Amino acid sequence: MLEKVWYSDGLKFSCTKCGNCCRGPGYVWVNDDEIHTLAQHFEMDDETFTKVYTRKVGRSRTLREQANDNCVFFDDSVGCLVYESRPTQCRTWPFWEHNLESKQSWDKVKDRCPGSGKGQLYSVEEITARLHEMKQK
Ligand code: SF4
Ligand code: SF4
């Protein structure tokens, strides 16, 4: 039985591919499994991919950035160049714990992510699955 949450009727989200979440400073954390998936996408070995496309921050790894701070895989005309292989962090957005703390926090997400609150309805079960995926990462 799921605990009652404020979004028990589900939440809407359909990515508009605006790129707001891929532009500018920020970390896109990748673990070994995600590095492997991305390396396969480029038919590279994991070690080469790690060297070319990631950098270390403390004990973790993030995708590298372009000179303008955009994610290394963001292309202005195409969007995400690795969409099918994108990391968990990108696949589970915007259903992250702090975004779902309250209706107010969800409303703030809508300000920077125009796809949030519109389009496809995600059930509470689907949202919870994404929350768990992020927690287990
Ligand atoms: S900010 Fe939202 S709508 Fe824009 S690309 Fe990111 S997920 Fe999609
Ligand atoms: S991997 Fe793709 S979806 Fe994730 S931040 Fe980079 S460009 Fe955006």
Side-chain angles (χ1 to χ4, degrees):
M1 184 78 175
L2 285 170
E3 190 187 329
K4 182 88 173 162
V5 287
W6 69 267
Y7 50 87
S8 57
D9 292 335
L11 291 170
K12 288 183 177 178
F13 169 65
S14 284
C15 179
T16 64
K17 299 202 187 323
C18 71
N20 285 355
C21 60
C22 311
R23 286 197 191 96
Y27 299 116
V28 185
W29 303 113
V30 281
N31 61 23
D32 289 349
D33 289 343
E34 291 163 317
I35 286 173
H36 182 65
T37 301
L38 285 160
Q40 284 192 319
H41 181 98
F42 292 106
E43 298 182 354
M44 293 170 89
D45 62 79
D46 294 9
E47 196 181 337
T48 307
F49 178 90
T50 300
K51 271 190 201 147
V52 175
Y53 290 116
T54 76
R55 66 184 176 89
K56 227 172 170 192
V57 178
R59 295 169 67 181
S60 305
R61 284 202 169 269
T62 180
L63 294 180
R64 287 188 189 274
E65 299 83 15
Q66 303 176 43
N68 60 7
D69 278 338
N70 291 353
C71 172
V72 66
F73 295 131
F74 183 70
D75 180 287
D76 273 320
S77 49
V78 177
C80 177
L81 296 173
V82 295
Y83 194 76
E84 293 308 319
S85 308
R86 67 199 189 285
T88 306
Q89 177 178 326
C90 310
R91 279 190 297 102
T92 56
W93 173 267
F95 303 124
W96 293 357
E97 197 167 19
H98 61 269
N99 290 344
L100 298 172
E101 269 169 9
S102 64
K103 172 89 173 53
Q104 288 73 19
S105 46
W106 177 248
D107 285 341
K108 279 189 198 152
V109 176
K110 289 187 200 167
D111 292 341
R112 57 199 165 100
C113 172
S116 298
K118 294 177 192 154
Q120 184 181 339
L121 179 68
Y122 286 80
S123 68
V124 65
E125 289 84 4
E126 290 172 308
I127 294 166
T128 304
R130 280 164 177 76
L131 276 170
H132 284 162
E133 205 181 334
M134 264 302 275
K135 276 187 191 165
Q136 280 165 3
K137 194 183 139 155

